[in-house]
Amino acid sequence: MKLASPSVRFHLTARVTVEGRRRLDEADLPGRQGRLALVYLVANRHRPVSVDELAAALWGDDLPPSWQASLRALVSKLRANLEYAGAGRLTRSGGCYQALLGSAWVDLEESANAVDRAEGARRRGDLAAAWGDATVGASITRRPLLAGEDLPWIATLRDVLEHRAVRALDILAEVNLACGDHHLAAEAARSLIDLAPFRETGYRHLIRAEAARGDLAEAVRVFHRLRVLLDEELGARPSVDTQRALTEVLASTSAPPVGGTRGAAMGPAPRGGAAVPG
């Protein structure tokens, strides 16, 4: 049997689906454990997965009676599913399973590749390529992964996706600012702040976006919200880079800052603590 071609697609985020010669929906998989097993094996397709490891991924520490037989039956059904869809195959060798998928597209892998490409394009100054790849990365990484499940490996994978989402949103905010789309820049910056409230780059993007949209008062309020958050939660103050972002937007307009002076906009220093880098 041939391995899957690039036209085969595995969507492991949101609703689990496989698009091959035929389409598989997660309802076609053998129950909850079938969905978990498919995601785990595809996410780890570049290495063998031991029988014990796969069992732990499905049941955690609460292994059912006769779990070995249950696992064999489950993998057998998954193998039949993939072969029916023409989407690769599952093998067992030396007490390990492995998903052999050839050059199939997997959304989790594409999210990593897209964000890496976007960062490279940003470094080269290719804003169009950076925007396109960052949009793909943000779209995938912000979808839910195995909603309703709380196994440790799923939490770890969600953390990985969240980190990629932060990177993608950072690029989108910066590129949209550079291209003059201040509304989309502000939208990406707010999403970045929601995901990483102590990461100052989101606030700097939002300060610049709001000022570019002509709402200097909102730009100053964004700075104040960050200052209060850092003071109350960390006993710290905004970094020099963030203070400079506000100073620059204040200097670029003839409108008076909130409070009448730049010092008032910055506000008093909080109760000690070092600056938090963005």
Side-chain angles (χ1 to χ4, degrees):
M1 175 182 175
K2 292 182 179 180
L3 298 185
S5 71
S7 61
V8 174
R9 301 171 70 88
F10 287 81
H11 299 270
L12 306 183
T13 56
R15 189 170 182 85
V16 177
T17 58
V18 180
E19 297 173 1
R21 187 173 60 251
R22 299 180 181 89
R23 187 178 188 275
L24 289 178
D25 183 80
E26 67 177 39
D28 301 316
L29 301 174
R32 169 180 175 263
Q33 272 73 36
R35 182 174 72 145
L36 291 175
L38 180 66
V39 172
Y40 195 84
L41 288 169
V42 173
N44 293 280
R45 65 166 169 151
H46 297 297
R47 66 176 181 86
V49 174
S50 73
V51 170
D52 289 342
E53 179 185 347
L54 183 56
L58 302 186
W59 292 290
D61 295 328
D62 189 21
L63 292 177
S66 304
W67 65 265
Q68 296 97 332
S70 297
L71 186 60
R72 285 194 299 271
L74 181 67
V75 173
S76 178
K77 292 176 183 177
L78 277 181
R79 183 182 294 115
N81 285 153
L82 291 182
E83 291 178 356
Y84 172 80
R89 55 195 175 92
L90 297 181
T91 65
R92 177 170 177 171
S93 177
C96 293
Y97 292 109
Q98 187 165 10
L100 301 181
L101 308 179
S103 55
W105 181 94
V106 179
D107 61 351
L108 296 184
E109 297 172 0
E110 177 59 16
S111 70
N113 295 335
V115 174
D116 286 344
R117 291 194 304 265
E119 290 178 337
R122 177 173 61 176
R123 287 192 295 270
R124 297 191 308 271
D126 187 344
L127 299 186
W131 182 90
D133 283 321
T135 298
V136 171
S139 174
I140 294 172
T141 56
R142 300 186 71 199
R143 297 171 187 161
L145 176 72
L146 294 172
E149 302 291 349
D150 59 359
L151 291 161
W153 67 270
I154 300 173
T156 298
L157 193 48
R158 286 172 183 154
D159 288 342
V160 170
L161 290 174
E162 183 174 296
H163 178 66
R164 289 177 193 161
V166 166
R167 293 164 60 199
L169 290 167
D170 181 40
I171 295 168
L172 284 176
E174 182 177 318
V175 169
N176 282 317
L177 270 173
C179 293
D181 196 328
H182 306 130
H183 174 77
L184 287 181
E187 187 177 276
R190 289 194 187 94
S191 296
L192 176 54
I193 291 169
D194 288 342
L195 279 180
F198 295 101
R199 182 186 173 102
E200 292 192 40
T201 50
Y203 297 92
R204 291 199 289 271
H205 293 320
L206 188 54
I207 286 168
R208 293 182 175 115
E210 294 294 359
R213 294 168 70 184
D215 195 344
L216 183 63
E218 179 59 24
V220 175
R221 283 193 288 268
V222 170
F223 181 89
H224 275 286
R225 288 197 293 270
L226 172 63
R227 183 174 59 83
V228 170
L229 175 70
L230 295 181
D231 182 19
E232 292 182 348
E233 299 295 329
L234 303 177
R237 64 185 303 162
S239 67
V240 171
D241 287 342
T242 303
Q243 295 184 47
R244 184 182 299 117
L246 181 61
T247 300
E248 289 171 354
V249 300
L250 293 176
S252 67
T253 179
S254 59
V258 174
T261 66
R262 183 170 65 86
M266 293 298 184
R271 303 183 301 273
V276 177

